[in-house]
Amino acid sequence: MSNDGFLSFPQSFLWGVSTSAYQIEGAVDEDGRGLSIWDTFCRQPGKVRNGENGDVAADHYHRWQEDVHIMAELGLKAYRFSIAWPRILPSGYGAVNPKGLDFYGRLVDALLAKGIEPFPTLYHWDLPQALQDRGGWPNRDTAYYFAEYAQVIAEALGDRVTYWITHNEPFVAAVLGYFTGEHAPGVQDPVAAFQAGHHLLLSHGLAAQALRETARLRPHVGIALNLSPVYPASESEADRQAAVRFDGVLNRMFLDPLFRRQYPQDLLNLLGGLFPQPEPGDLDRIGAPLDFLGVNYYSRIVVRHDPEFPLIQAVQVQPEGAEYSQMWEIYPQGMYDLLTRIWADYRPAYVLVTENGIPVADAPDLDGRVRDERRIRYLRDHLVQVHRAMSDGVPLRGYFVWSLLDNFEWAHGYAMRFGLVYVDYATQQRIVKDSGRWYAQVVAENGVRVGE
Ligand code: FCB
């Protein structure tokens, strides 16, 4: 696959970009959209940097045609976006809002017309507020409402969409949403968090079944997990055990039920009564075969034993001498370690890297160009590791950069710019960054030049 200085990828490789609804769309009270938990959360003082919110974001709801045009110009093969549940079912269930369905129908048609494969994600954290008012994800009913929503979407788009992602990062939705409270709905209750985690997984299983029963095109159904390889900070036995526990909560808590129909026994022992009792049949639903696994990878985790830390007695440390972005350590080798480990332990049918990217504090230079060399380097270094994993047998069929556009980065507000395309929030002007041009070249050549 490779020769000197150039790593080539398989012909049908899916080169894509990812976004999510609340982070780019804006238009939060247009065309019948209901409130989401992020609308509510952003209005609570101190939750989001500078009190920012997604009311306007990158104004994609009005500028989607321009954004599709940019993707076509970059030659992209695939676009992963999310559907805002509160646009489709403003109260979470019951009455369907046809204008919401129309928006995504038009988007899908425009993508297909340009030869870009749509990859909708059904849930990227914007739960209808009406469902949070009934308890949110800790309430088991939410899983069944999610399946109803999936069915509505499958009826509307299942004649055109092949690839589906049920959830984005259920770990983050459960743990940051209901345990640490850093994300909407801002609850801080470990029992609620573990219930949320289980119900998110259950809802994945129910929605996957609804998609398979309803979509006209045979669907490829997957889920996107945030996964990181976890390494001990030292060779001590205590640190090693801490890394096993951290890996349990972050990775195996989701991978084991999805691929083995069981929660990891060491975690159940650790968490005891905090962990919800799955009802009979839940694990069979959750573990029904997936068509693909989506992997969101940004960084590794290094941990040490800490008896003070609740539950898992393990804390993340930032290793000295490492390279850092504004948010995380930069560790390309972790991509390889993670992909090969997933393949060895779980044997997914195939894998897509559904997110990978870096925040860079970039801005246009005097000539209007955005020279984000650091992003190019990050993406290139990670693609080298992706390629290595494929050469070692990992069945990887696609790679999606987070993100197409600069956007609303949750609790960080607009401070973090992840886009291949710069957004001037004052004017909503889009400028393709140097990284965007570089990625277009990767797609056009179907490979990565290294050592340049
Ligand atoms: C991931 C999220 C995505 C974005 C990136 C930076 O955890 O899925 O929405 O915030 O991180």
Side-chain angles (χ1 to χ4, degrees):
M1 268 206 297
S2 70
N3 40 51
D4 265 0
F6 187 77
L7 302 176
S8 72
F9 282 70
Q11 260 328 306
S12 53
F13 197 75
L14 289 160
W15 295 105
V17 292
S18 290
T19 64
S20 89
Y22 189 73
Q23 293 178 276
I24 64 167
E25 285 180 359
V28 291
D29 54 9
E30 273 178 63
D31 291 344
R33 177 186 178 278
L35 271 186
S36 84
I37 54 174
W38 272 93
D39 297 295
T40 310
F41 187 71
C42 291
R43 280 174 173 67
Q44 293 169 16
K47 300 292 189 193
V48 176
R49 193 175 177 274
N50 297 330
E52 289 163 347
N53 59 55
D55 285 6
V56 179
D59 197 30
H60 171 79
Y61 193 77
H62 299 119
R63 291 168 200 264
W64 62 274
Q65 283 163 305
E66 182 185 351
D67 295 337
V68 172
H69 181 78
I70 292 171
M71 285 189 267
E73 284 213 323
L74 297 179
L76 301 180
K77 310 283 187 217
Y79 175 44
R80 174 177 173 234
F81 57 97
S82 83
I83 296 175
W85 185 351
R87 285 199 196 282
I88 309 300
L89 294 147
S91 308
Y93 65 97
V96 175
N97 173 29
K99 287 186 174 169
L101 286 176
D102 288 350
F103 173 70
Y104 297 105
R106 287 192 298 270
L107 176 64
V108 163
D109 287 342
L111 291 166
L112 292 172
K114 300 279 190 192
I116 302 171
E117 193 67 48
F119 276 73
T121 300
L122 295 180
Y123 186 73
H124 202 124
W125 307 348
D126 45 358
L127 185 72
Q129 180 62 44
L131 292 185
Q132 182 55 36
D133 295 342
R134 294 167 167 256
W137 287 110
N139 177 357
R140 189 177 166 94
D141 294 346
T142 303
Y144 291 88
Y145 294 136
F146 184 68
E148 276 177 44
Y149 156 60
Q151 174 152 0
V152 169
I153 298 293
E155 273 161 17
L157 301 178
D159 57 340
R160 287 161 285 172
V161 168
T162 301
Y163 297 94
W164 301 90
I165 293 169
T166 53
H167 279 287
N168 180 69
E169 303 188 352
F171 171 91
V172 175
V175 173
L176 276 71
Y178 293 91
F179 189 179
T180 70
E182 292 161 86
H183 278 188
V187 174
Q188 292 179 313
D189 172 356
V191 172
F194 289 114
Q195 282 174 331
H198 179 63
H199 295 150
L200 282 155
L201 280 171
L202 173 62
S203 78
H204 153 80
L206 296 168
Q209 190 183 347
L211 290 167
R212 293 190 198 289
E213 285 171 4
T214 309
R216 293 247 304 280
L217 298 180
R218 187 188 93 68
H220 285 225
V221 182
I223 185 168
L225 303 180
N226 57 297
L227 301 172
S228 290
V230 183
Y231 309 88
S234 80
E235 289 305 305
S236 77
E237 188 53 27
D239 284 353
R240 269 197 248 222
Q241 290 303 324
V244 171
R245 292 192 297 275
F246 206 109
D247 176 66
V249 174
L250 180 67
N251 300 318
R252 291 182 285 120
M253 170 109 95
F254 295 88
L255 289 166
D256 280 26
L258 286 164
F259 289 97
R260 298 178 178 164
R261 301 185 185 212
Q262 60 189 26
Y263 283 107
Q265 193 55 48
D266 61 329
L267 264 192
L268 297 182
N269 298 344
L270 184 73
L271 302 172
L274 284 180
F275 207 80
Q277 275 294 325
E279 291 191 12
D282 283 6
L283 286 157
D284 287 333
R285 291 204 172 88
I286 294 168
L290 285 172
D291 294 288
F292 65 89
L293 175 67
V295 174
N296 294 358
Y297 175 76
Y298 290 90
S299 187
R300 68 166 168 174
I301 307 265
V302 178
V303 298
R304 68 170 165 76
H305 176 66
D306 179 354
E308 304 298 309
F309 196 86
L311 299 180
I312 58 169
Q313 304 191 324
V315 284
Q316 185 177 3
V317 297
Q318 302 298 353
E320 268 177 50
E323 190 189 352
Y324 293 93
S325 73
Q326 293 167 297
M327 281 168 72
W328 297 300
E329 184 192 348
I330 300 174
Y331 192 71
Q333 158 95 32
M335 176 74 96
Y336 174 85
D337 292 354
L338 175 65
L339 292 172
T340 48
R341 182 265 179 118
I342 290 169
W343 177 235
D345 287 359
Y346 298 99
R347 286 283 189 263
Y350 67 93
V351 180
L352 299 169
V353 172
T354 35
E355 288 183 26
N356 180 228
I358 178 173
V360 178
D362 41 33
D365 288 327
L366 188 61
D367 60 357
R369 224 174 105 181
V370 181
R371 293 173 171 82
D372 56 338
E373 275 304 315
R374 194 171 203 210
R375 177 168 293 106
I376 295 174
R377 188 153 57 82
Y378 178 96
L379 296 176
R380 180 193 288 135
D381 291 349
H382 283 76
L383 279 170
V384 167
Q385 300 297 330
V386 166
H387 190 274
R388 225 180 116 207
M390 290 169 76
S391 305
D392 285 357
V394 180
L396 220 132
R397 294 201 192 163
Y399 171 88
F400 294 69
V401 175
W402 182 274
S403 179
L404 171 66
L405 303 166
D406 290 339
N407 60 49
F408 176 74
E409 180 48 36
W410 310 114
H412 297 281
Y414 294 94
M416 301 296 165
R417 292 183 175 269
F418 274 93
L420 296 174
V421 177
Y422 181 86
V423 176
D424 177 343
Y425 293 113
T427 62
Q428 292 294 344
Q429 191 198 350
R430 274 93 166 117
I431 302 171
V432 177
K433 301 179 190 176
D434 280 6
S435 61
R437 306 261 169 241
W438 171 85
Y439 193 53
Q441 187 187 18
V442 168
V443 179
E445 298 181 346
N446 204 37
V448 185
R449 295 179 195 207
V450 289
E452 300 194 324

